[in-house]
Amino acid sequence: SANAAGCDGGGIASTGGTVMLEASAIHDNTAGCSGGAIFVRDGGATLVDSQLVANVASTGGGGGIMLFGSAISLIVRTTIAGNTAVLDGGGLLAHGGATRTTIFDSVVTNNRCEPLPATAVGGNGGGIANGRTNNQGGVSALVAGGIMTISGSTISNNVGASNSDLSSRAFGGGIANVVTTGSITAGTKLLTVP
């Protein structure tokens, strides 16, 4: 708790490795860029019976967790709550068509995208963003999400923020899905979990 990073991964940053959390809490951390609690690039993350609570991505996306590149994640019986991102994915952002995310029997609640006061750039997918939709400076406006499966989970009370750069109101308070190559499957599915 109460960790800070100048850029990605306020609590944990992992590049190409594997993160395994079980019965753990990561809370009140701040990333100067993305992944308020956890930032995973081109590796794996497994979260079981854990909590990502009240973390902040102060100029980027994924207030709770950002999955980047070819990151593969399994999130089981985990709560992602009260996190804030300036850009997309107040709770979770899967950034890139090669990401693979499975969320099972978990709760994603009370997360939000909050624009920077000076720029009013906000984000979509208050709870979950599968892909990125906003535009910040010279960054491309659309980045596809990967394959995401959500089963037996609750997504509630999340809020997206307006994005003046796209002259549109926020969309996907709970989930925003950029379907260039990405997809989300929600429903009942039998999974073997730890």
Side-chain angles (χ1 to χ4, degrees), residues 9-77:
I12 297 172
S14 178
T15 301
T18 300
V19 175
M20 171 67 180
L21 297 176
E22 186 172 358
S24 299
I26 302 179
H27 61 89
D28 297 291
N29 300 289
T30 302
C33 299
S34 298
I38 302 172
F39 179 89
V40 178
R41 180 182 186 134
D42 301 331
T46 300
L47 283 64
V48 180
D49 296 319
S50 293
Q51 299 178 11
L52 305 181
V53 178
N55 300 285
V56 176
S58 58
T59 63
I65 182 170
M66 180 170 179
L67 307 166
F68 190 85
S70 59
I72 299 171
S73 67
L74 173 63
I75 298 171
V76 179
R77 297 184 301 273

Side-chain angles (χ1 to χ4, degrees), residues 76-142:
V76 179
R77 297 184 301 273
T78 290
T79 297
I80 301 175
N83 301 288
T84 303
V86 167
L87 303 181
D88 293 343
L92 180 150
L93 171 59
H95 186 282
T99 59
R100 301 292 179 263
T101 309
T102 300
I103 301 171
F104 179 75
D105 198 19
S106 293
V107 175
V108 180
T109 188
N110 294 318
N111 302 285
R112 65 183 300 112
C113 300
E114 188 69 45
L116 291 169
T119 61
V121 174
N124 301 296
I128 295 170
N130 188 37
R132 185 176 52 73
T133 57
N134 54 50
N135 190 2
Q136 182 186 36
V139 179
S140 173
L142 293 177

